[in-house]
Amino acid sequence: MITIKDIAKEANVSEGTVDRVIHSRSGVSKKTEAKVRKILERHSFKVNPVASALAMKKKHQISVLIPEYNDSDLFWKSPYLGVLKAAEDVKNFGVYVSVFRFNQSDPVSYLNAFEDLLETKPTEVIMVPNFSDETKQIIKELEALNIPYLFLNIDIKGFNNIAYVGQDSYTAGYVAGKLMHLNNPESSEFLIIQTLQNITKNNSISDRIEGFKDYFLKNEINSNSRGLKLENLNDTLENQEVINSFLKNHPEIKGVFVPSSRIYMVVNCLEEHHLKNLQLIGFDNTPQNTACLLNDSVAFLISQKPFDQGYKSVRLLADFLIQNKTPEHKTYLPIDILMKENVKYNGRDEFVSENNNAVEVF
């Protein structure tokens, strides 16, 4: 393997000069830099990122702002575990990761977690932009401090985020529309159920709904989608009354689309005869949703690979910090269609422990 010493000898320059060229530091004439780079390219020289980080004795701090999870909403556990796994993988490169969690229903919690995050003096930030106004405030501070930031899972337009890692929500919704049509090839009506909480803060939800509807419009399929907005999916008794009354008044409905990770809550509200006669499609293989898939309450789940979202976000920023490798502006994860027969083969977060010494969690 060729070394910096070999390159320096061939170029007839000092090892320090080669090191400055490799790391794009000043102090080298353009003529010398061109000569050294030509030799580096000829030998396909690659910097060892571990050795480079150790040699420079430089530490990088990636701080992550992500929602909490709980027993009724386990979705955010998977991206969190992905972050933990990536943190373990990059710690030897001099990259340190801290995670700050917030209540996704509380904008004050979001801002407070961000203020705590700033105390780590981050080199870069990974964030789930959960509230529009508060996100504008956070990004204003990050940009004033010249801290690059990456959006995880939720893609909000109009900002200068270095990258977005997550699902192509519009296409995922389009896929859901196609699945619904394949299960109901005749002219049909479908119900889209969402919460007011989803409507106000999550662009991915609205993009999925748009994609779902566009499938029927673009393919000139004579089907209609109705919408039902619930105040709070956690209020089971009220939602049972609202959903079942709606379905009773609209017997023409053949399928239900829930563009969030809580389709199991809708299943818990439906009367038995509705469950038997409706095709249900939702998102994410949380344990509760998977149980609904396995007992035939839900026809399909669309996975947005949340573990891989967390893992990929950290690795992209680590590569940017260590190797100056600029990430693609949009990194879309595969859209997996899950059904009863294949759901057990999807996901790998169950193999990751939450007790990870490579990460500070707040």
Side-chain angles (χ1 to χ4, degrees):
M1 179 182 294
I2 194 165
T3 65
I4 289 177
K5 184 177 181 179
D6 297 327
I7 298 293
K9 184 177 181 180
E10 185 173 340
N12 196 27
V13 298
S14 69
E15 293 176 37
T17 296
V18 176
D19 187 72
R20 282 193 290 273
V21 172
I22 289 172
H23 295 101
S24 300
R25 292 196 290 268
S26 60
V28 182
S29 70
K30 291 184 178 180
K31 182 178 179 180
T32 300
E33 180 182 359
K35 179 172 67 172
V36 172
R37 289 199 181 280
K38 186 175 181 179
I39 296 171
L40 290 169
E41 290 174 6
R42 185 166 69 247
H43 291 287
S44 300
F45 181 85
K46 300 291 183 183
V47 177
N48 183 323
V50 176
S52 178
L54 292 174
M56 295 171 67
K57 294 184 179 179
K58 188 171 183 179
K59 296 180 180 179
H60 302 286
Q61 174 68 41
I62 296 176
S63 296
V64 183
L65 187 62
I66 192 170
E68 301 167 338
Y69 61 86
N70 52 53
D71 289 341
S72 66
D73 185 7
L74 285 169
F75 171 78
W76 290 106
K77 182 177 181 179
S78 289
Y80 169 67
L81 292 179
V83 168
L84 297 192
K85 179 63 174 69
E88 182 71 29
D89 291 349
V90 303
K91 67 179 181 179
N92 289 330
F93 300 99
V95 178
Y96 297 87
V97 178
S98 299
V99 177
F100 295 82
R101 298 186 285 191
F102 61 89
N103 183 335
Q104 61 180 314
S105 300
D106 182 5
V108 174
S109 170
Y110 182 51
L111 288 176
N112 288 341
F114 173 68
E115 291 304 319
D116 291 339
L117 177 153
L118 285 181
E119 295 296 321
T120 63
K121 301 187 184 321
T123 313
E124 294 180 324
V125 168
I126 295 170
M127 61 181 292
V128 178
N130 212 64
F131 303 92
S132 297
D133 291 340
E134 288 75 15
T135 293
K136 291 176 184 177
Q137 181 179 335
I138 285 172
I139 288 174
K140 184 177 180 180
E141 290 191 55
L142 289 175
E143 292 182 347
L145 294 168
N146 293 315
I147 299 173
Y149 54 95
L150 175 150
F151 285 164
L152 168 64
N153 185 262
I154 298 175
D155 190 17
I156 300 181
K157 298 176 177 63
F159 295 103
N160 298 314
N161 51 304
I162 190 172
Y164 161 73
V165 176
Q167 188 178 71
D168 181 344
S169 298
Y170 174 87
T171 302
Y174 195 91
V175 169
K178 187 170 187 176
L179 290 171
M180 190 69 80
H181 178 235
L182 290 174
N183 270 19
N184 299 275
E186 303 297 327
S187 177
S188 304
E189 292 210 7
F190 307 112
L191 177 61
I192 302 173
I193 298 179
Q194 60 182 136
T195 65
L196 293 178
Q197 181 184 26
N198 293 146
I199 297 166
T200 57
K201 71 178 184 182
N202 196 331
N203 284 6
S204 62
I205 300 295
S206 57
D207 288 345
R208 290 170 187 169
I209 292 172
E210 182 183 1
F212 182 86
K213 292 180 177 179
D214 277 359
Y215 171 78
F216 297 97
L217 288 173
K218 290 182 178 180
N219 291 283
E220 299 181 349
I221 298 168
N222 185 25
S223 293
N224 183 46
S225 297
R226 296 180 178 272
L228 180 60
K229 300 171 184 177
L230 304 175
E231 289 286 343
N232 183 0
L233 267 179
N234 291 309
D235 192 341
T236 304
L237 290 177
E238 180 179 342
N239 291 331
Q240 282 177 341
E241 176 64 27
V242 171
I243 296 172
N244 289 297
S245 294
F246 190 94
L247 291 171
K248 181 178 179 180
N249 293 329
H250 299 279
E252 68 279 5
I253 289 175
K254 301 299 182 184
V256 176
F257 176 49
V258 181
S260 72
S261 62
R262 302 200 187 183
I263 194 170
Y264 79 94
M265 290 185 169
V266 173
V267 169
N268 291 341
C269 292
L270 289 174
E271 294 174 357
E272 189 65 28
H273 67 281
H274 289 316
L275 280 175
K276 290 181 179 180
N277 296 321
L278 293 171
Q279 295 290 326
L280 273 69
I281 297 177
F283 280 79
D284 305 315
N285 55 324
T286 62
Q288 298 99 323
N289 289 349
T290 298
C292 293
L293 199 63
L294 293 174
N295 68 21
D296 295 316
S297 299
V298 171
F300 299 103
L301 293 173
I302 297 175
S303 170
Q304 52 182 316
K305 292 210 168 281
F307 178 92
D308 292 347
Q309 289 182 22
Y311 184 86
K312 189 73 173 177
S313 296
V314 173
R315 292 307 303 257
L316 284 176
L317 289 193
D319 287 346
F320 179 68
L321 290 169
I322 298 165
Q323 302 180 41
N324 199 29
K325 184 178 179 181
T326 303
E328 294 288 334
H329 186 58
K330 305 280 188 185
T331 298
Y332 290 128
L333 278 297
I335 298 172
D336 285 352
I337 300 170
L338 305 180
M339 58 193 78
K340 180 178 181 179
E341 292 76 15
N342 73 346
V343 67
K344 70 178 181 180
Y345 303 111
N346 188 273
R348 53 186 176 131
D349 52 336
E350 64 270 22
F351 301 109
V352 179
S353 170
E354 293 185 63
N355 299 318
N356 190 323
N357 294 327
V359 185
E360 289 185 293
V361 182
F362 301 89

